[in-house]
Amino acid sequence: MLLSLPDQMQLDQFFQEMNQTAGLEVGYPVAFDLDFSALKPFLGLSLNNAGDPFMLMTYQLNSHPFEREVISFFAELTRAPEDQWWGYVTNGSTE
């Protein structure tokens, strides 16, 4: 999707402002030493992890295997009894 020139200019200006502001941020909740470049190829996909990561879903564009791995990590970390835990990962703080 191509943006109109005014929209692209607005986004460019916003990026410049945010990029300058980022250099002034210190501490919680931001970190700028993270490299997400390995995930860039996935930005063009419409991944959606809605639903139970332990059930077969009809919508196959999801990252449920990774979600289950994260849940398993925390189950082990908290010594949850084997095969007696369940969960999901949310990307926000609403819940």
Side-chain angles (χ1 to χ4, degrees):
M1 176 175 123
L2 294 175
L3 296 176
S4 68
L5 186 58
D7 288 344
Q8 185 62 57
M9 290 173 60
Q10 184 179 13
L11 285 176
D12 291 344
Q13 180 181 350
F14 179 66
F15 179 76
Q16 286 179 345
E17 291 171 6
M18 293 300 100
N19 202 30
Q20 289 173 345
T21 302
L24 305 174
E25 294 293 323
V26 177
Y28 179 83
V30 295
F32 295 104
D33 58 346
L34 302 173
D35 181 5
F36 296 109
S37 59
L39 301 176
K40 186 176 180 180
F42 297 96
L43 294 177
L45 301 173
S46 184
L47 298 176
N48 187 335
N49 274 27
D52 188 332
F54 294 95
M55 293 182 62
L56 184 62
M57 305 301 286
T58 56
Y59 189 76
Q60 297 297 306
L61 286 173
N62 63 63
S63 61
H64 283 163
F66 293 102
E67 187 173 13
R68 289 189 298 268
E69 189 175 334
V70 169
I71 297 164
S72 176
F73 170 82
F74 282 101
E76 290 177 31
L77 190 66
T78 60
R79 297 186 181 109
E82 193 168 330
D83 297 329
Q84 294 185 18
W85 47 265
W86 173 90
Y88 62 97
V89 177
T90 179
N91 68 340
S93 60
T94 302
E95 296 192 26

